[in-house]
Amino acid sequence: MKKVLVVDDSALVRRQVGNTLKSAGYEIVEAVDGLDARDKLTAIKDVAMIVCDVTMPRMNGLELLGTLQQDGFAGSVVMLTTEGRPEIVTQARALGAKGWLVKPLKPDLLLATALIWAVPLSLAALAALVRRILEGA
């Protein structure tokens, strides 16, 4: 089972992201900010993807990206934030972010992003997502 670390200071956002990804078979680990995420990554080595907010207390998402880059994190990082300024997006990409999703959460877009960056768990999960997207079109 692929693990996804959800990093956001909002419990509601962590729950929404977690429930969405759990529905596709991902295992979820939660962190309340960048420092908490670093601690979790020290204990859990097989995280495939991180979904991370930008604006958080103690250590923000950009600072976390910098430490992940220094530590050689092998997974993918996707930012999920209300922040959309081009200079912030550019900085995040330079620090290794693979994607940028803007809140409010769009579950199908998050699932499609996870399928690309966290490697799908099964063809059944992919088929279910494609079916949901097509039914919504």
Side-chain angles (χ1 to χ4, degrees), residues 6-19 30-32:
V6 180
V7 187
D8 201 299
D9 56 324
S10 166
L12 176 63
V13 172
R14 290 193 312 271
R15 187 170 44 253
Q16 289 173 333
V17 171
N19 288 342
E30 294 184 8
V32 298

Side-chain angles (χ1 to χ4, degrees), residues 64-95:
L64 177 60
L65 280 170
T67 64
L68 293 173
Q69 190 177 54
Q70 290 172 348
D71 295 344
F73 176 67
S76 300
V77 181
V78 174
M79 307 307 286
L80 174 65
T81 183
T82 57
E83 181 63 61
R85 289 181 290 154
E87 63 272 15
I88 302 294
V89 175
T90 300
Q91 184 179 2
R93 290 197 189 278
L95 290 168

Side-chain angles (χ1 to χ4, degrees), residues 45-109:
K45 299 295 182 190
D46 57 345
V47 171
M49 185 175 85
I50 298 172
V51 177
C52 185
D53 191 10
V54 171
T55 306
M56 297 178 289
R58 297 193 318 155
M59 177 185 280
N60 69 40
L62 296 176
E63 293 166 333
L64 177 60
L65 280 170
T67 64
L68 293 173
Q69 190 177 54
Q70 290 172 348
D71 295 344
F73 176 67
S76 300
V77 181
V78 174
M79 307 307 286
L80 174 65
T81 183
T82 57
E83 181 63 61
R85 289 181 290 154
E87 63 272 15
I88 302 294
V89 175
T90 300
Q91 184 179 2
R93 290 197 189 278
L95 290 168
K98 301 294 185 191
W100 194 274
L101 302 173
V102 178
K103 294 176 184 174
L105 176 68
K106 296 166 189 69
D108 287 340
L109 186 56

